[in-house]
Amino acid sequence: MSEVLEERSLVRNAADEDQVQSAAKEERRKERQERDRWLKVVSTVEGRSVVWQILGMCRMFETYCGQSEMLQFHEGSRNVGRNLWAKIEGIDPEIILTMMREAHMEKKQHA
């Protein structure tokens, strides 16, 4: 069963303001924790390189014209990449630009 379905509601009674406020506080804590984890990943050249490789595996930098079934497969992969891109861009858009610059420099070094 997916993690989302297993999560219990933080509020049992929506009319209870204390429960609602406590749930909102817990949600903000979880969001900060997730943001901090992502920042740890992209705070190093190595971490950004791995994320860039994953974006490449998700075919973020390709277009595909072909059979419908394969198009759907490729677009599914790209959707994962778009979600990853949006997550990182939401944390700090500069990270995307940094990854682009680093990937460009690495490509030039190996050319």
Side-chain angles (χ1 to χ4, degrees):
M1 185 172 271
S2 82
E3 184 178 310
V4 173
L5 294 177
E6 291 177 5
E7 248 183 65
R8 299 273 183 216
S9 174
L10 297 174
V11 176
R12 293 181 186 255
N13 179 358
D16 184 336
E17 189 62 34
D18 288 339
Q19 282 186 34
V20 172
Q21 287 179 357
S22 177
K25 184 177 179 180
E26 177 64 14
E27 190 64 30
R28 286 189 302 272
R29 185 194 67 75
K30 287 180 180 181
E31 288 171 1
R32 277 192 311 274
Q33 187 178 43
E34 181 181 358
R35 183 179 188 278
D36 290 347
R37 288 177 181 154
W38 278 107
L39 282 171
K40 284 182 183 180
V41 170
V42 296
S43 67
T44 66
V45 172
E46 293 83 5
R48 290 187 299 272
S49 178
V50 169
V51 170
W52 195 257
Q53 287 175 335
I54 293 170
L55 289 169
M57 286 187 275
C58 292
R59 296 175 167 85
M60 283 293 292
F61 315 115
E62 301 174 16
T63 56
Y64 179 80
C65 296
Q67 295 176 335
S68 175
E69 298 83 18
M70 287 306 294
L71 176 63
Q72 292 169 3
F73 175 78
H74 284 268
E75 284 305 305
S77 296
R78 288 188 67 189
N79 191 48
V80 172
R82 284 191 293 268
N83 283 312
L84 177 55
W85 185 288
K87 173 68 72 181
I88 293 168
E89 194 172 45
I91 293 170
D92 183 356
E94 284 295 315
I95 296 169
I96 297 290
L97 298 173
T98 300
M99 288 192 304
M100 287 178 173
R101 284 190 292 270
E102 290 170 350
H104 178 72
M105 293 303 294
E106 187 172 323
K107 190 175 181 180
K108 280 177 65 175
Q109 288 175 352
H110 291 94

